[in-house]
Amino acid sequence: MDQWNAGWVQSVVDVRAYGSATADVTLRVRVRSAVGGDRTRIELSNCFSDAPLEVGAFSLSVAGRSVSARFDGHTGTTIPAGDTRWTDPVALPIERGSEVTVDLYLPATTVHTTGNFSQIPVEISEPGDHTGSPDFRPVATPTIPAPDGSRLPLPLPFIRGLEVFGPAPQALVVCLGDSITAGGWPEEVQEMLADRLEVVMLNCGIAGNRLRSEPDASIASYGPSGLTRFEYDVLATAGASEVVIALGTNDLGLPGATAPLSDLPSAEQMIETYQSLAGRAAAAGLRVTIATITPFWQAENYDESREAIRQSVNDWIRSSAPHFVDFDRALRSAQDPRRLAPEYDSGDHLHPNSDGDKRLAQAMAAHLAMRHGVSAD
């Protein structure tokens, strides 16, 4: 039986601090749908704004065919502060893996309040409504200043997710994580398993995100905690059958740096949070996998007491989680298991490099292959 399935999502956060804004322009982004079907719809989010979001027009294009999307039959809509809106379903067949061009016309001066830092570039048109135009000419692919003086890509604003009405995949996995997840191992897993398992890996990674603590207002872009966003990012995801919880690193690393030292949790507090999330997922019929916390000895603000918490939490995950994937074992040094193996270290002793991302993807692909009875190679 056909159903609505999420084909692409991003976990939105508060990006008001970066001060980006536009007026009378069309934003264009290209996303890839991991599912196929004959109808599609897009969710827009204005969750972190203090003002309504005026949408003038909206369109979707696939394989050269463009369709205007409507909102309750209207060309545009106004989304109240703190709210979301779905487009009406549009008859636009999409094949699994298709690139979907999404155009959003914002007629008024609009502060980009809600979005996420993704690897998907945002193109900005010359003034006017250019939704669906085959002659769309971007005048800018903008960047914004980072705290260290470098430039960051513009956060992908307001577009929360894409759903397609069609057959359910064999597995639709929501990956709830931090910057290590946002780095792209879920997409690599999907590619690795493409010829053996119809698996959709939805990347719900947020840089700086924590399992159980909310961010300070000065770092709101770290996003609501996993505990807070679980309902929206996991349980409300159409077609979800599994969840991977890959959070915990920042709960140990941020307190005393960009968060109060009092935020540092005990192992017992972290375990209680994992248990709570696992119970909520199981009650919703989702299979639950928890990833062990990867090493980050020598990273800034890390010490023996935090390492002891990490080890205790990982021991519990290996012995008591509903299912687990051992990201710690995948990346740790054979000489010093507190540290990332040099060949997987990006240089900050915390984030894996591209080889490390691939190693995590291999570990997850092997785990899912075993769970679904297919070859791991």
Side-chain angles (χ1 to χ4, degrees):
M1 179 183 295
D2 287 355
Q3 62 181 36
W4 286 105
N5 300 296
W8 172 85
V9 299
Q10 70 165 352
S11 295
V12 293
V13 299
D14 185 341
V15 294
R16 284 176 288 185
Y18 295 93
S20 56
T22 53
D24 186 28
V25 296
T26 302
L27 307 183
R28 173 167 286 186
V29 299
R30 295 175 176 87
V31 302
R32 196 165 296 279
S33 177
V35 296
D38 59 10
R39 282 176 284 164
T40 190
R41 62 187 181 187
I42 296 280
E43 183 183 23
L44 300 180
S45 176
N46 195 33
C47 282
F48 296 102
S49 180
D50 298 318
L53 172 65
E54 183 181 349
V55 177
F58 196 85
S59 73
L60 305 175
S61 303
V62 176
R65 182 188 172 199
S66 181
V67 178
S68 294
R70 294 181 174 269
F71 302 85
D72 295 325
H74 300 286
T75 301
T77 190
T78 299
I79 305 175
D83 207 349
T84 65
R85 283 285 186 278
W86 284 96
T87 66
D88 299 339
V90 297
L92 184 66
I94 292 177
E95 294 184 3
R96 175 179 168 88
S98 295
E99 183 180 79
V100 182
T101 299
V102 181
D103 290 346
L104 170 63
Y105 174 51
L106 301 174
T109 298
T110 305
V111 178
H112 297 180
T113 60
T114 303
N116 202 345
F117 293 96
S118 93
Q119 299 176 13
I120 300 172
V122 180
E123 297 177 341
I124 297 180
S125 75
E126 58 190 6
D129 178 4
H130 301 278
T131 53
S133 171
D135 300 319
F136 186 100
R137 293 182 177 88
V139 297
T141 302
T143 60
I144 58 176
D148 62 3
S150 64
R151 305 293 296 184
L152 293 169
L154 185 75
L156 198 168
F158 305 120
I159 301 169
R160 167 66 178 83
L162 175 149
E163 292 182 359
V164 182
F165 192 80
Q170 290 174 272
L172 196 152
V173 185
V174 181
C175 303
L176 192 78
D178 50 32
S179 58
I180 295 175
T181 297
W185 61 258
E187 290 83 353
E188 292 197 48
V189 171
Q190 187 170 290
E191 187 174 335
M192 286 176 181
L193 293 174
D195 60 347
R196 284 159 286 150
L197 180 66
E198 189 187 8
V199 60
V200 173
M201 303 293 291
L202 297 177
N203 193 328
C204 287
I206 299 174
N209 198 232
R210 289 186 282 176
L211 175 69
R212 59 187 307 278
S213 296
E214 307 306 317
D216 184 81
S218 63
I219 49 172
S221 64
Y222 285 1
S225 69
L227 194 61
T228 297
R229 67 188 178 101
F230 198 76
E231 179 73 31
Y232 187 45
D233 280 354
V234 178
L235 302 184
T237 296
S241 60
E242 305 186 32
V243 58
V244 175
I245 302 170
L247 286 169
T249 300
N250 294 315
D251 293 69
L252 301 180
L254 295 187
T258 59
L261 185 58
S262 57
D263 280 1
L264 183 66
S266 66
E268 291 75 18
Q269 288 173 318
M270 293 186 70
I271 290 167
E272 287 173 2
T273 306
Y274 288 126
Q275 289 173 321
S276 172
L277 295 182
R280 289 166 65 185
L286 305 185
R287 293 182 176 181
V288 183
T289 296
I290 302 177
T292 53
I293 302 171
T294 53
F296 55 112
W297 188 253
Q298 288 191 313
E300 184 179 359
N301 201 42
Y302 201 62
D303 55 31
E304 289 281 8
S305 64
R306 299 169 199 242
E307 174 64 14
I309 296 170
R310 187 182 77 90
Q311 293 289 354
S312 294
V313 170
N314 282 350
D315 287 345
W316 176 84
I317 292 172
R318 293 185 182 103
S319 64
S320 303
H323 299 277
F324 77 93
V325 59
D326 208 337
F327 279 180
D328 170 44
R329 182 178 180 183
L331 294 186
R332 70 191 182 197
S333 165
Q335 287 70 43
D336 185 350
R338 300 173 302 172
R339 305 184 185 193
L340 289 174
E343 62 268 29
Y344 299 137
D345 191 340
S346 67
D348 65 1
H349 313 302
L350 169 63
H351 295 94
N353 58 20
S354 58
D355 287 337
D357 288 339
K358 183 176 181 180
R359 184 72 187 92
L360 294 179
Q362 290 169 335
M364 182 59 71
H367 168 73
L368 290 172
M370 179 182 67
R371 285 270 300 275
H372 290 275
V374 299
S375 168
D377 298 325

